[in-house]
Amino acid sequence: MRKTFITVSLVVGLALLAGLLTSGSPALESPGTIRLTTRAVKQQFVDRVPRGRGAGDVLVKRILLYNKGIRPRAIGHGDVICTYTTRHARQCDATYTLPKGKIVVTGSYTFGQFHELAVVGGTGLYDNVRGTVTVTLLRRNPERDVLVFRLIV
């Protein structure tokens, strides 16, 4: 019994130490908001049987990311993959590549005009971030959205 307690204590201690050594990016020290606009440049819909939108169908999108306050050209891109769970509901995963790292989001939604997804991590400056991204549709063709990331460290 005592050996088990010592072993468990040692493992927990090592896990806590590893957590301290692998903390988030030191460059991002406080909560922050990033506001970007997007433009879809490529979109592919994979329709599975039966014909028409339904469970199992997949939507793959490539988008360009803009921040007109920084420069008029795209500052990054995003890759979005959504799997339909019903005719209108979908489960999506996306990676947004920015100049100083990547932000990864996931979640489900029903209405494409306005939805919120969870930020589950990132790389570079965004290493170990959490938070949400709110997506608001501006225009359908070509598709343009506003993304508002609310990040915490």
Side-chain angles (χ1 to χ4, degrees), residues 23-32 100-101 123-129 153:
S23 62
S25 171
L28 192 61
E29 298 173 353
S30 63
K100 294 187 178 182
T123 64
L125 178 65
Y126 312 105
D127 179 35
N128 211 25
V129 297
V153 185

Side-chain angles (χ1 to χ4, degrees), residues 98-121:
L98 297 165
K100 294 187 178 182
K102 296 178 182 181
I103 300 174
V104 180
V105 304
T106 189
S108 62
Y109 68 92
T110 302
F111 303 106
Q113 295 84 356
F114 181 81
H115 56 279
E116 188 174 62
L117 302 172
V119 173
V120 295

Side-chain angles (χ1 to χ4, degrees), residues 7-77:
T7 304
V8 169
S9 298
L10 184 61
V11 169
V12 169
L14 288 173
L16 289 173
L17 181 61
L20 290 173
L21 295 175
T22 60
S23 62
S25 171
L28 192 61
E29 298 173 353
S30 63
T33 302
I34 301 171
R35 185 180 183 280
L36 302 171
T37 56
T38 71
R39 180 173 58 92
V41 290
K42 186 164 186 169
Q43 183 169 305
Q44 184 173 357
F45 181 73
V46 180
D47 190 9
R48 306 213 175 180
V49 180
R51 195 166 192 212
R53 199 176 344 167
D57 292 344
V58 178
L59 177 66
V60 180
K61 284 195 279 189
R62 175 69 165 223
I63 59 175
L64 294 179
L65 304 173
Y66 295 90
N67 184 335
K68 301 291 182 166
I70 295 175
R71 68 178 190 196
R73 295 186 327 244
I75 62 167
H77 67 275

